Amino acid sequence: MSEGRPGSAPDAVTEELDEAECLRLVAGQEVGRIAYYGRFGPTVLPVNYRFFEGSVVFRTGAGSPMDEDLRTGIENAEYRIAFEVDEFAAGLREGWSVLIQGSAHHVTSPEECAAVARAGVIPWPSGAKNAYLRVRPSRITGRRLRHGE
Amino acid sequence: MSEGRPGSAPDAVTEELDEAECLRLVAGQEVGRIAYYGRFGPTVLPVNYRFFEGSVVFRTGAGSPMDEDLRTGIENAEYRIAFEVDEFAAGLREGWSVLIQGSAHHVTSPEECAAVARAGVIPWPSGAKNAYLRVRPSRITGRRLRHGE
């Protein structure tokens, strides 16, 4: 059912994206948003990231609220989080979004630290951001919003 | 502590935004991301919205996964959610983000339906989006990332 929108472009059509296309889009962006349950409840914050060897890698300050809120305090137990990347053209009312669901893994072992350092994530904000976080997707979904012919 | 970034612009400085500035920025955008705990765990999805009479108003399909996941099934009980709006200039590595935390309120009474209809939210995707949701902020925080002089 199309809702009336007098004098403007027709509504856009939503199409589901497959995993390969989702990951291609995620690999091409720099800023995503991590959502988790923090000390003030549900929280979404942008981070600059790299998609590296099948996972999202970003950095935060060691001991920062995000770093602490994402530590379960139990070895090998990780919080489930969501990571979102999108791109929209406001004028066109078109765009796409990808949602990655997975666990927030703190990189701590020397081997893994060396590996993720190769991702080359340089935080945009100043200040030490020495805590590396890695999200390996357990579920990947995405949609594109586009006007028909 | 500034981390080395040879040959590139200096790190950006993060400044906290006050509530008034946050709301001014949110009022000027069209797309935000709602984060909530959905059927597949933490979820973030973009929606086009209007900031109207102090709250974020958007629409979704009645009976859609988002609509259902945000219903507690208990009268007057609402889930806490997060709503994020941002704008980043990748080339400049600058931008801002605002995080609104509050409850997801389903608009059901005829009076409130009439009120939020005045917000003029027209969903970008096609299809009936007859469920109005409203988020009244209980906590508003924001940051701007900007290079110094």
Side-chain angles (χ1 to χ4, degrees):
Chain A
M1 173 182 143
S2 178
E3 309 212 0
R5 185 184 298 165
S8 71
D11 296 337
V13 172
T14 304
E15 62 184 38
E16 302 292 323
L17 304 176
D18 63 28
E19 279 193 22
E21 175 70 356
C22 288
L23 294 181
R24 192 188 66 77
L25 290 165
V26 168
Q29 296 289 317
E30 291 185 273
V31 175
R33 294 130 201 123
I34 178 169
Y36 58 98
Y37 202 90
R39 59 194 68 186
F40 297 109
T43 300
V44 197
L45 291 172
V47 292
N48 68 289
Y49 72 96
R50 286 279 178 91
F51 190 71
F52 176 73
E53 293 185 348
S55 62
V56 170
V57 176
F58 60 94
R59 292 164 62 172
T60 185
S64 68
M66 182 187 291
D67 180 35
E68 288 185 354
D69 285 352
L70 291 174
R71 287 183 190 274
T72 60
I74 301 166
E75 200 174 358
N76 297 324
E78 297 170 350
Y79 284 121
R80 292 172 71 192
I81 61 95
F83 192 83
E84 192 259 8
V85 182
D86 66 39
E87 192 172 34
F88 287 97
L92 294 173
R93 306 167 74 92
E94 287 187 336
W96 58 265
S97 67
V98 171
L99 171 62
I100 288 178
Q101 290 166 306
S103 298
H105 172 65
H106 281 82
V107 177
T108 50
S109 78
E111 296 76 20
E112 195 177 3
C113 286
V116 298
R118 291 200 306 274
V121 181
I122 298 173
W124 289 9
S126 61
K129 306 280 181 190
N130 293 325
Y132 273 86
L133 282 147
R134 181 174 203 167
V135 181
R136 207 178 290 278
S138 59
R139 186 167 179 270
I140 303 165
T141 51
R143 305 171 189 177
R144 187 186 300 278
L145 197 61
R146 144 189 299 171
H147 293 288
E149 299 308 299
Chain B
M1 172 182 145
S2 177
E3 309 212 0
R5 185 183 300 166
S8 71
D11 296 337
V13 172
T14 304
E15 62 184 39
E16 303 291 324
L17 304 176
D18 64 27
E19 280 194 20
E21 176 70 356
C22 288
L23 295 181
R24 192 188 66 76
L25 290 165
V26 168
Q29 296 289 316
E30 291 184 273
V31 174
R33 294 127 201 127
I34 178 169
Y36 58 97
Y37 202 90
R39 58 193 70 185
F40 297 108
T43 301
V44 197
L45 291 172
V47 292
N48 68 290
Y49 72 95
R50 287 279 178 90
F51 190 70
F52 176 74
E53 292 184 350
S55 62
V56 170
V57 176
F58 60 94
R59 293 162 63 171
T60 186
S64 68
M66 182 187 292
D67 180 35
E68 288 185 353
D69 285 351
L70 291 174
R71 287 183 190 275
T72 61
I74 301 166
E75 200 174 358
N76 297 323
E78 297 170 349
Y79 283 122
R80 294 172 70 193
I81 61 97
F83 192 83
E84 192 258 10
V85 183
D86 65 40
E87 194 172 34
F88 287 97
L92 295 173
R93 306 167 74 94
E94 286 187 336
W96 57 265
S97 67
V98 171
L99 171 62
I100 289 177
Q101 290 166 306
S103 298
H105 172 64
H106 281 83
V107 177
T108 51
S109 78
E111 297 75 20
E112 195 177 2
C113 286
V116 298
R118 290 200 306 275
V121 182
I122 299 174
W124 290 8
S126 60
K129 306 280 181 189
N130 293 325
Y132 272 88
L133 282 147
R134 182 174 202 167
V135 181
R136 208 178 291 278
S138 59
R139 185 166 180 270
I140 303 166
T141 51
R143 305 172 188 176
R144 188 186 300 277
L145 197 62
R146 144 190 299 170
H147 293 288
E149 299 309 297

